[in-house]
Amino acid sequence: MKPLEGLLVLDFAQFLAAPWAATRLADLGARVIKIERPGGGDICRQLYISNLSLDGDSTLFHSINRNKQSFAADLKNPADLAAVKQLIVRADVMIQNFRPGVMERIGLGYDACRALNPRLVYGVVTGYGDGPWREKPGQDLLAQSVSGLTWLNGNADQPPMAFGLSIADLTASAHLVQGILAALVRRGVTGAGALVEVSLLESILDLQFELTTTFLNDGGKRPERSAINNANAYLGAPYGIYATADGHLALAMGSIPKLGELLGLAALAQFADPQTWFTRRDEIKRLLADHLKTQPTRHWLDRLEPADYWCAEVLDWNRLWQTDAFRALDFVQQVTRDDGPTLATTRCPIRIDGQVYKSPCGAPRVGQHTRAIQTEFHL
């Protein structure tokens, strides 16, 4: 039995952050009913990655809405709204990510829903929380840009760089799940529901806590990125990714003189003082960068790994997928619409009591389960 079996979640959300939170709850056993507008449904159905679609919907939609049911409802239609309110009365969790004020105008804001169901845990994702930015569009790249995160990426002479994935959305999604689960635990004690709120900005600021804490206690001085193979603005050499004769090698924290001995780079012996590993990091990194290009990655790994020096080969997905380590995780699952195509995607990364959670149920078509749900709940 999955830990959240028996819980009913209503997913009113679109795009990525909030729907992904609902999917994680579904992974853990909750029944998730996606409330969508008739016809087009979630806008994410047409949000294509590399123009790749499957059975009329984007692969992105398929991946973040697997294992859900779809109930089509026009929330501006009184009859449909009344039916949705009956579902809310029965629900344990409700998730939405509309702009501030939209659900209140419809009549489905937190206060209205709490009046219908005092035990309801009501989850909300916004772009920027309360304050003067509350009306700005809550979009991942925009949140990354204003959060300071993009100033941490790349080398010192490069402009701000965005992450190569929707890091603000995914972090906010994880925080929403944490908050919902905490509220459900409290409800088990008190019987009362809760309003759980997260924002892209607050989540991505929290993600940076390790570095922003230094910033806050260092006179507000902006971190200085390394000019050579930057990976963390507050860490000294050798921290970074280096080109080799046939690929790339990642080096984490470790003694510079010891690294010089292992690599046969005598010039590193002069950096015996650990303070220099930061103050002279670019000088050290340049020596390393020039030296590591002379041999293939395996040559260096054979010297570093037996000495337990923290390092790793840099792999792309094609190579990672072929490793025994990846295969041992059993991390890819196949999901299928009832009468439609099959999609390969990742599984839930959480194990409980050793159990790996997978589900073969693919993303629904718009309104696919409306009639069955109407019958079940007498709507």
Side-chain angles (χ1 to χ4, degrees):
M1 181 176 180
K2 294 182 178 180
L4 298 185
E5 283 186 23
L7 290 180
L8 175 61
V9 177
L10 301 182
D11 174 10
F12 288 79
Q14 301 190 92
F15 295 113
L16 179 51
W20 185 237
T23 297
R24 181 61 72 235
L25 298 176
D27 286 340
L28 296 173
R31 177 184 182 183
V32 177
I33 298 176
K34 188 172 182 66
I35 309 296
E36 299 187 85
R37 57 190 174 89
D42 182 346
I43 297 172
C44 189
R45 288 182 179 274
Q46 304 306 316
L47 186 62
Y48 296 111
I49 295 180
S50 299
N51 296 322
L52 187 61
S53 65
L54 186 70
D55 197 30
D57 293 321
S58 71
T59 52
L60 174 62
F61 177 85
H62 281 281
S63 64
I64 63 176
N65 288 283
R66 52 184 166 77
N67 205 19
K68 297 179 184 179
Q69 297 178 302
S70 175
F71 184 88
D74 178 357
L75 299 181
K76 296 180 181 179
N77 179 296
D80 284 4
L81 182 60
V84 166
K85 287 182 176 180
Q86 290 183 58
L87 287 175
I88 291 171
V89 170
R90 304 281 293 275
D92 297 287
V93 176
M94 172 176 166
I95 296 174
Q96 61 98 347
N97 64 339
F98 289 95
R99 283 197 177 189
V102 170
M103 290 296 266
E104 284 74 13
R105 289 193 294 272
I106 293 172
L108 296 179
Y110 173 62
D111 289 337
C113 291
R114 181 177 59 178
L116 291 170
N117 180 357
R119 291 176 52 83
L120 183 70
V121 174
Y122 188 106
V124 182
V125 179
T126 64
Y128 306 95
D130 294 327
W133 289 357
R134 69 192 307 268
E135 297 297 333
K136 284 180 174 287
Q139 193 277 333
D140 185 273
L141 178 61
L142 309 185
Q144 285 192 46
S145 298
V146 302
S147 73
L149 181 71
T150 57
W151 280 103
L152 300 176
N153 302 323
N155 293 336
D157 61 347
Q158 294 176 314
M161 291 185 178
F163 264 63
L165 49 78
S166 302
I167 190 70
D169 280 331
L170 298 173
T171 306
S173 179
H175 289 165
L176 183 61
V177 172
Q178 292 170 19
I180 287 171
L181 295 178
L184 288 170
V185 170
R186 190 186 71 174
R187 190 186 73 172
V189 177
T190 68
L195 171 63
V196 178
E197 298 173 283
V198 301
S199 74
L200 303 189
L201 179 59
E202 289 168 288
S203 287
I204 208 166
L205 287 172
D206 179 75
L207 185 68
Q208 300 174 79
F209 78 93
E210 184 181 11
L211 280 73
T212 56
T213 299
T214 302
F215 168 79
L216 291 168
N217 292 278
D218 191 27
K221 180 183 177 183
R222 195 170 84 184
E224 295 182 11
R225 296 175 292 175
S226 175
I228 309 293
N229 299 349
N230 178 69
N232 186 310
Y234 284 124
L235 291 180
Y239 206 84
I241 292 176
Y242 298 82
T244 65
D246 65 348
H248 290 84
L249 176 72
L251 294 176
M253 296 82 74
S255 165
I256 294 300
K258 179 182 178 182
L259 181 61
E261 293 174 11
L262 294 169
L263 297 179
L265 181 55
L268 295 186
Q270 64 182 297
F271 302 103
D273 181 359
Q275 297 255 346
T276 63
W277 305 349
F278 186 81
T279 60
R280 298 175 66 183
R281 67 179 174 183
D282 285 348
E283 183 181 348
I284 296 170
K285 284 185 165 187
R286 188 168 295 283
L287 290 169
L288 281 167
D290 291 341
H291 187 67
L292 290 169
K293 290 177 183 176
T294 64
Q295 296 288 344
T297 304
R298 176 44 58 188
H299 175 86
W300 302 123
L301 290 173
D302 288 343
R303 283 151 180 76
L304 296 171
E305 288 182 332
D308 198 27
Y309 202 96
W310 290 0
C311 63
E313 184 176 8
V314 179
L315 303 177
D316 60 19
W317 292 328
N318 289 323
R319 294 183 63 199
L320 172 64
W321 260 234
Q322 299 306 312
T323 64
D324 291 338
F326 180 79
R327 291 193 184 102
L329 297 176
D330 188 23
F331 205 65
V332 175
Q333 64 176 345
Q334 305 290 326
V335 297
T336 308
R337 276 185 175 163
D338 317 70
D339 55 351
T342 294
L343 177 82
T345 188
T346 54
R347 62 162 173 82
C348 176
I350 301 167
R351 298 179 191 229
I352 298 177
D353 296 330
Q355 180 67 44
V356 171
Y357 295 118
K358 291 186 177 183
S359 172
C361 183
R365 293 186 175 86
V366 179
Q368 181 177 343
H369 305 94
T370 302
R371 188 164 298 176
I373 291 169
Q374 288 173 331
T375 300
E376 177 184 355
F377 290 94
H378 307 290
L379 302 179

